[in-house]
Amino acid sequence: MTNPLLAPGKGPFALPDFAHITDDDFAPAFEAALSEARANIAAIAETPDAPSFANTIDAMELAEATLDRVAGVFYNLSGADSTPAREALMRDLAPKMAAFASEVTMNRPLFARIETLWNARDTLELTCEQARVLELYYKMFIRSGAALEGAEAERMTAIKALLAVLSTQFSQNLLADERDWFRTLAEDELEGLPDFVVEAAKAAGAERGQSGPVLTLSRSLIVPFLQFSPRRDLREIAYEAWTARGANGGETDNRALAAEILALREERAKLLGYESFAAYKLEPEMAKEPAQVRELLMRVWEPAKAAAEADAAKLTEMLQEDGLNGDLEAWDWRYYSEKRRVAEHDFDEAALKPYLSLEAMLNAVFDTANRLFGLDFKPLDGPFYHPDVRGWEVTRGGKHIAVFLGDYFARASKRSGAWCSAMRSQSKLGGETRPIVVNVCNFAKGDPCLLSYDDARTLFHEFGHALHQMLSDVTYQFVSGTSVARDFVELPSQLYEHWMEVPEVLQKHARHWQTGAAMPEALLQKLLAASTYDQGFATVEFIASALVDLAFHEGAAPKDPMAKQAEVLAEIGLPKAIRMRHATPHFGHVFSGDGYSSGYYSYMWSEVMDADAFAAFEEAGSPFDEATAKRLEECILSVGGSVPADAAWMAFRGKKPGVEPLLRGRGLLDVA
């Protein structure tokens, strides 16, 4: 029988054959795909024909097509629906995939062909996209160690393999801690919790085979518990368990892994001639160098810290009015902040959630995409990789654009957080290929699923990434969709969040899940008035994480990352009742791969642009201005990485962004 992972996809959209794929299929599929890719790369490197763009770069783009298809399915499933077999295979694959990548980028004859093309680039009559792709290939090989020789080349290969293994282990340790911890909640421990939190806890208990409600480490459950539970002792237990992920001792402890990863990254950068890993990592980004990152973060840190300290003083008063002596603690902040929001804005999360059902917000997301870009969404029948997953065909003017999959509910087999990925990316080389795009979230499952305002924002955020993939219109997969500078990739996602707060979007779609009634105008106005509430807290916990990430990579790798973390937080004066959004042992952005290492700042870097980008719509007189939306698609969403990020931005906006719109959007401008 043909391995379903190696066969062409099923149906008119060539989807993976989820109904017949089993865990036993992955290992042989990878073996066959790697063998095919190796043979293709060898043929390119060893051909006697003189290097040309077609026989080198075009050929490389197509050489790993089967491997890309197999990996696109496997790694999506491993993050969203892990099994012991998939986790074991991930550990086995990590060094193998790293070794293959090193074989390619450190293949001397292959690099010689690319270097020949690079040196002759002005004579090749390349299109703008081809010139950009050649530049990126050349730089990728150089930055991967293609110019190294002898012992240095061997050490670089070994470092990459070690980093792949350690990053995989870090991620799996974190998943294990999140999956294994839960606490049953007795009837009296549900006191003060809104119905939606109780129902979410019951659903979590059922998912874990328990007879009653449980508290888990899913953000969509633990955050509302911290907001609403009057039981300070339970809030402390829950918060400490949440923040102890990856630091519980034993086999799943990530602290030693973090130290080893940082040391290897520093060694890798030094082998390539960089003074630090941060210098190496930031070179191709918009920020270019660590000093630029630090300048932005500290520009926002001071007003954010001042706002957070003022808020902390008020929350401490509320704590003491409840008869509690001592200081405000981290497990108190969300509870008293929620009480203060109700008191000052006459607005609470429980009143809002009935109007933010998942179905209503999906309609809002899709309708916004239709009004901006003319996209239509038609439900597709499965089966997909999990019963919870839903699918849609995306079209425009009757033309197929993409398949979009939504996987929205928390479960023990899914890693925490929310993300967007592509099982297949858009390209035109060798024929038109349209993408299969996946949004994964961790909302508390309910009947119906009611979202918090933060959940709804996450839905819009991840769909902004999905649009970047869907609307991609390039020839080469290497620059398709979200294949852009790390500190540019969050621009489309964070920009799309702005439509969540457009009054006409909420008026149309924020409807009560039972009655269908629109959100009352008074509640809508309270919601919009409270949109910048508690931004001191949110900004401080984010920047603290970003500064620790930068400090880890800016100089010599710390032998004790936890001590370095404490040192950085002391230097900046992190308020006592606020902790990092992601402490080192569970900082998956930084340690579960290189993606956001030295790059966690990029969310804020992109926010500077997204605030300015939405201002372009406001200046045009409408959040749905047709000409501005067209320019956004043509200059940013469709070009992927075929244009340098700063050039793409200037083509859209025509001027450099400033930090003031960001501060205004977070309600911090008056504090600055």
Side-chain angles (χ1 to χ4, degrees), residues 3 6 26-39 66-67 70:
N3 189 314
L6 299 175
F26 285 113
F30 270 106
E31 184 177 348
L34 280 166
S35 179
E36 177 186 285
R38 282 191 170 95
T66 302
L67 182 60
V70 174

Side-chain angles (χ1 to χ4, degrees), residues 67-131:
L67 182 60
D68 288 342
R69 185 168 71 245
V70 174
V73 176
F74 176 73
Y75 288 109
N76 272 279
L77 268 61
S78 295
D81 191 25
S82 182
T83 66
R86 290 170 192 170
E87 291 182 15
L89 183 56
M90 278 191 76
R91 293 191 293 271
D92 184 54
L93 281 172
K96 292 180 180 179
M97 295 294 283
F100 172 70
S102 292
E103 287 174 30
V104 175
T105 56
M106 302 185 80
N107 183 315
R108 300 291 295 183
L110 183 61
F111 176 60
R113 297 179 69 84
I114 296 171
E115 190 171 37
T116 297
L117 294 174
W118 174 249
N119 291 334
R121 60 192 180 279
D122 294 336
T123 68
L124 299 179
E125 298 183 351
L126 303 177
T127 67
C128 291
E129 183 179 339
Q130 287 174 327

Side-chain angles (χ1 to χ4, degrees), residues 178-201:
E178 291 167 347
R179 179 179 57 216
D180 294 346
W181 190 93
F182 67 87
R183 187 187 188 284
T184 57
L185 294 172
E187 190 65 32
D188 64 320
E189 294 175 335
L190 301 175
E191 175 194 349
L193 297 179
D195 289 344
F196 75 85
V197 181
V198 175
E199 291 305 312

Side-chain angles (χ1 to χ4, degrees), residues 8 43 87 90 112 144 158 164 205 226 228-229 315 366 387 418 441 487 535 539 607 619:
E87 291 182 15
M90 278 191 76
S144 296
L226 292 169
F228 293 106
S229 176
L315 300 183
F366 292 162
C441 299
D487 49 14
Q535 279 299 304
T539 307
E607 190 176 343
E619 292 162 11

Side-chain angles (χ1 to χ4, degrees), residues 385 388-392 404-408 437-440:
Y385 63 85
D388 285 343
V389 179
R390 301 163 65 180
W392 293 265
F404 174 63
L405 302 181
D407 183 356
Y408 294 116
V437 186
V438 188
N439 272 180
V440 183

Side-chain angles (χ1 to χ4, degrees), residues 307-326:
E309 288 176 334
D311 289 340
K314 294 180 180 179
L315 300 183
T316 300
E317 289 179 8
M318 296 173 67
L319 172 83
Q320 294 173 350
E321 286 171 0
D322 278 352
L324 298 170
N325 296 321

Side-chain angles (χ1 to χ4, degrees), residues 235-403:
R235 296 200 309 267
E236 180 178 2
I237 291 170
Y239 186 85
E240 292 292 12
W242 190 34
T243 56
R245 291 167 294 157
N248 289 305
E251 293 183 354
T252 63
D253 198 294
N254 277 333
R255 287 171 287 191
L257 289 179
E260 194 171 354
I261 289 170
L262 292 173
L264 289 168
R265 285 177 178 165
E266 181 190 12
E267 186 180 357
R268 177 182 180 182
K270 293 289 178 62
L271 280 172
L272 294 170
Y274 293 89
E275 64 180 19
S276 68
F277 183 80
Y280 160 76
K281 190 68 189 297
L282 293 173
E283 183 184 56
E285 311 298 343
M286 293 186 76
K288 302 300 182 190
E289 57 187 28
Q292 294 262 55
V293 174
R294 188 172 296 280
E295 180 182 354
L296 168 66
L297 294 175
M298 294 311 296
R299 172 73 176 84
V300 183
W301 172 257
E302 293 304 332
K305 180 184 174 185
E309 288 176 334
D311 289 340
K314 294 180 180 179
L315 300 183
T316 300
E317 289 179 8
M318 296 173 67
L319 172 83
Q320 294 173 350
E321 286 171 0
D322 278 352
L324 298 170
N325 296 321
D327 297 329
L328 183 76
E329 299 291 351
W331 48 87
D332 297 320
W333 190 291
R334 288 175 173 84
Y335 177 71
Y336 285 101
S337 181
E338 179 65 24
K339 291 183 70 172
R340 181 185 169 201
R341 181 166 65 166
V342 172
E344 294 187 2
H345 294 278
D346 190 22
F347 167 79
D348 71 274
E349 195 77 51
L352 179 66
K353 285 181 74 96
Y355 296 94
L356 300 181
S357 69
L358 176 60
E359 294 307 309
M361 291 302 96
L362 279 173
N363 288 337
V365 162
F366 292 162
D367 185 44
T368 298
N370 176 266
R371 295 182 65 182
L372 288 170
F373 308 113
L375 300 178
D376 294 302
F377 299 82
K378 178 183 177 182
L380 290 177
D381 293 329
F384 303 114
Y385 63 85
H386 189 278
D388 285 343
V389 179
R390 301 163 65 180
W392 293 265
E393 182 194 5
V394 186
T395 61
R396 178 156 59 183
K399 180 183 178 182
H400 177 73
I401 297 296
V403 168

